[in-house]
Amino acid sequence: MRNVVIGGVAAGMSAASQAKRRMPNAEVIVLERGDHVSYGACGMPYNIEDPQRDILDLVVITPAEFRHTRGIDVRTRHEVLSIRAAQREIEVRDHVAGHNYLQGYDRLVIATGAEAVRPPIPGIDLPGVFLLRDLADGDAIKRFIDETGPQRAVIIGAGYIGMEMADVLNRRGLAVSVLERAQQVLPGFEPVIAGIVLDELHRHDVKVETGVAVLGVERTGQGLLVRTDRGETAADLILVSAGIRPNVALARSAGARLGEHGAIAVDTRQGTSLADIYAAGDCAEAFHRVLSKPAYVPLGTTANKQGRVAGANAAGGDEHFAGIVGTAGFRVFDLEVARTGVGAAEISSHGLDAISVVSRHASRGHHFPGSGRITTVVFAERDSGRLLGAQMVGADTVAKRVDIFATALHARMSVADVESLDLSYAPPFAPVYDPVLIAARVARKALSGHH
Ligand code: FAD
Ligand code: NAD
């Protein structure tokens, strides 16, 4: 039995490790076109923040360790050029030796991930303009900061990476400006949440322009210049964090079915439409339990879990991925921001009849030191009272509170069910009525007001 995995990050290495564990005598080969495998991309912002840390600290297991201690044949700088599903073979470019070869497989896992979007803006390829997707990108940004001492950064795109990196670059001493095309920062969040984040950015002297079109980047005698439809901003370092798109070219040309979001369509066993070919991670869709249909919510947490399922099944198992509810969180300066379930955009695009309520509550017991204010938005279905989503922002214990809502969504609970949960209370970590319970109560009352 020979299992071949394409891509060596979260989904790929989870699949390879699981396949080898299930079937120790099987041959497991990982083909990765880059130099590194098995690293925590999610840790890159915090590594860049710390000048003392080596970027390679993010590598969990090296290719040599995989080969010698786990018996997994990891081949870096090996790029898969095509999949010949009928012949059960793939064409590989060995960039080290400089030749191509054909590799046969019994079962194949596609874990090709996603790539950062590079908007078609003149000058976007100039030196000093960076993306942040893989370890090589993180290394390049860190070296640039260490070696050239940039003073001014412009970040294009105020999503997850833009927010995390505004914080990190500010901590590294750069003056940061953020340019966002949408009318608010974090377009995936409710305006009330985005407004609190905007205040936090301003409190740390981060300049923000929303509803702005970036027209071009130029090099001048004083560094780089970003031209927009409103004016110009000078920069020494530009970070483009304008979203990602799934890497599906290989799968598509092999004939695998893509879903409506453009990522590879998979069943609950991570099987694709092609026999003995599985897909997992940022290249694939995932079943969304709130919408009861496939969605594209590319995250490391999902990539790891889907990879594990794909690897187990490639090795003859029968594992199923339970699906997602769309949970993500991040930190920006002193705030935690997180969401789960669906938000206003998905509610309207799926024609759901829902209400949303906003509540504000303390994070800890009355007068307890360190208590902060948490703002919560809850979405609930009007007729059934079912919880549809929640978003939270605050200085304290927000992300893990959103996980309570995520658990409730997984179990298809109503807001009344959430309101009656038995959550822990002691002043150091919660008020008598937890902000989660208060938010659910406000939603339940708003719903009953409609009847
Ligand atoms: P990828 O990480 O994209 O890996 C795919 C690999 O496949 C790549 O190494 C690529 O070189 C290789 N490949 C592609 N095509 C070929 C080919 N033809 N031949 C050979 N190899 C190929 N997620 C969270 O859940 N929480 C977080 O806090 C979080 N923070 C993040 C912070 C940053 C800065 C970034 C960039 C991402 C973050 N994410 C986070 C997202 C998370 O990193 C991704 O969801 C995860 O890396 C996806 O893993 P993957 O293996 O599916 O794909
Ligand atoms: P994103 O989709 O979160 O944000 C992209 C932002 O760029 C959006 O606000 C969009 O409106 C804006 N944008 C797009 N084109 C633009 C343009 N031409 N000019 C100005 N703004 C533009 O994507 P990202 O921040 O690049 O992150 C990539 C992926 O990594 C995401 O899918 C995210 O899930 C993942 N990630 C997750 C975490 C986390 O969970 N903590 C952290 C970082 C990254």
Side-chain angles (χ1 to χ4, degrees), residues 239-327:
L239 173 67
V240 179
S241 48
I244 58 173
R245 68 169 76 90
N247 281 326
V248 296
L250 273 182
R252 187 201 290 122
S253 55
R257 192 169 77 76
L258 303 185
E260 70 172 275
H261 308 279
I264 303 169
V266 288
D267 58 24
T268 59
R269 299 180 71 250
Q270 298 303 130
T272 67
S273 61
L274 301 172
D276 294 323
I277 302 186
Y278 300 83
D282 280 11
C283 61
E285 293 190 343
F287 182 77
H288 198 298
R289 296 174 66 100
V290 178
L291 297 170
S292 295
K293 60 183 286 222
Y296 185 60
V297 187
L299 285 169
T301 172
T302 307
N304 276 286
K305 292 173 197 146
Q306 287 188 330
R308 220 180 130 87
V309 170
N313 292 334
D318 186 24
E319 299 284 325
H320 294 260
F321 178 57
I324 58 167
V325 293
T327 312

Side-chain angles (χ1 to χ4, degrees), residues 119 121 133 156-162 164 179-182 186-187 212 214 241-244 298-299 328-330:
I121 298 169
R133 177 66 199 172
I156 300 175
Y160 287 85
I161 294 180
E164 289 185 348
L179 304 175
E180 166 60 48
R181 184 173 63 183
L186 296 170
V212 68
V214 178
S241 48
I244 58 173
L299 285 169
F330 66 93

Side-chain angles (χ1 to χ4, degrees), residues 24-84:
N25 296 324
E27 195 182 348
V28 178
I29 300 171
V30 177
L31 302 161
E32 165 56 55
R33 68 181 171 197
D35 285 321
H36 304 286
V37 297
S38 179
Y39 59 85
C42 314
M44 287 195 295
Y46 311 103
N47 182 292
I48 293 169
E49 180 181 322
D50 182 353
Q52 308 304 325
R53 272 184 69 192
D54 195 307
I55 198 87
L56 291 177
D57 286 359
L58 294 167
V59 174
V60 184
I61 303 171
T62 65
E65 285 165 343
F66 271 112
R67 220 170 290 125
H68 298 126
T69 61
R70 301 203 174 190
I72 297 173
D73 181 359
V74 174
R75 304 178 191 168
T76 52
R77 303 192 62 196
H78 280 57
E79 181 174 6
V80 178
L81 304 177
S82 64
I83 300 169
R84 301 170 183 183

Side-chain angles (χ1 to χ4, degrees), residues 360-392:
R360 295 177 182 82
H361 205 58
S363 65
R364 305 185 192 199
H366 191 56
H367 291 319
F368 198 87
S371 179
R373 197 162 74 148
I374 295 180
T375 301
T376 308
V377 180
V378 165
F379 298 92
E381 194 167 43
R382 202 183 296 276
D383 282 342
S384 66
R386 178 163 71 106
L387 177 70
L388 293 176
Q391 303 180 2
M392 273 186 154

Side-chain angles (χ1 to χ4, degrees), residues 59-276:
V59 174
V60 184
I61 303 171
T62 65
E65 285 165 343
F66 271 112
R67 220 170 290 125
H68 298 126
T69 61
R70 301 203 174 190
I72 297 173
D73 181 359
V74 174
R75 304 178 191 168
T76 52
R77 303 192 62 196
H78 280 57
E79 181 174 6
V80 178
L81 304 177
S82 64
I83 300 169
R84 301 170 183 183
Q87 291 85 20
R88 281 174 204 263
E89 61 186 24
I90 54 181
E91 187 188 7
V92 185
R93 174 77 183 164
D94 177 347
H95 288 286
V96 185
H99 66 78
N100 295 2
Y101 65 96
L102 290 175
Q103 173 67 60
Y105 66 82
D106 296 303
R107 304 244 168 81
L108 183 67
V109 178
I110 303 176
T112 46
E115 65 187 12
V117 170
R118 194 183 279 271
I121 298 169
I124 200 95
D125 292 319
L126 283 171
V129 184
F130 298 91
L131 300 168
L132 181 56
R133 177 66 199 172
D134 59 23
L135 206 59
D137 297 330
D139 190 29
I141 293 174
K142 197 160 187 177
R143 273 176 205 277
F144 187 82
I145 295 173
D146 291 341
E147 289 167 11
T148 73
Q151 310 276 307
R152 304 157 300 179
V154 167
I155 297 177
I156 300 175
Y160 287 85
I161 294 180
M163 293 296 91
E164 289 185 348
M165 288 302 292
D167 176 351
V168 163
L169 293 175
N170 173 282
R171 285 176 205 248
R172 294 277 328 234
L174 283 84
V176 179
S177 301
V178 178
L179 304 175
E180 166 60 48
R181 184 173 63 183
Q183 296 303 322
Q184 63 171 49
V185 298
L186 296 170
F189 283 79
E190 284 296 282
V192 62
I193 306 269
I196 293 167
V197 172
L198 184 64
D199 289 345
E200 182 73 356
L201 292 167
H202 286 155
R203 204 165 70 84
H204 289 87
D205 298 322
V206 173
K207 294 203 178 72
V208 181
E209 285 187 60
T210 54
V212 68
V214 178
L215 303 177
V217 177
E218 289 158 27
R219 178 157 289 287
T220 68
Q222 285 79 45
L224 295 164
L225 195 67
V226 184
R227 274 191 305 105
T228 71
D229 57 348
R230 302 234 192 96
E232 295 170 342
T233 309
D236 305 305
L237 181 162
I238 298 173
L239 173 67
V240 179
S241 48
I244 58 173
R245 68 169 76 90
N247 281 326
V248 296
L250 273 182
R252 187 201 290 122
S253 55
R257 192 169 77 76
L258 303 185
E260 70 172 275
H261 308 279
I264 303 169
V266 288
D267 58 24
T268 59
R269 299 180 71 250
Q270 298 303 130
T272 67
S273 61
L274 301 172
D276 294 323

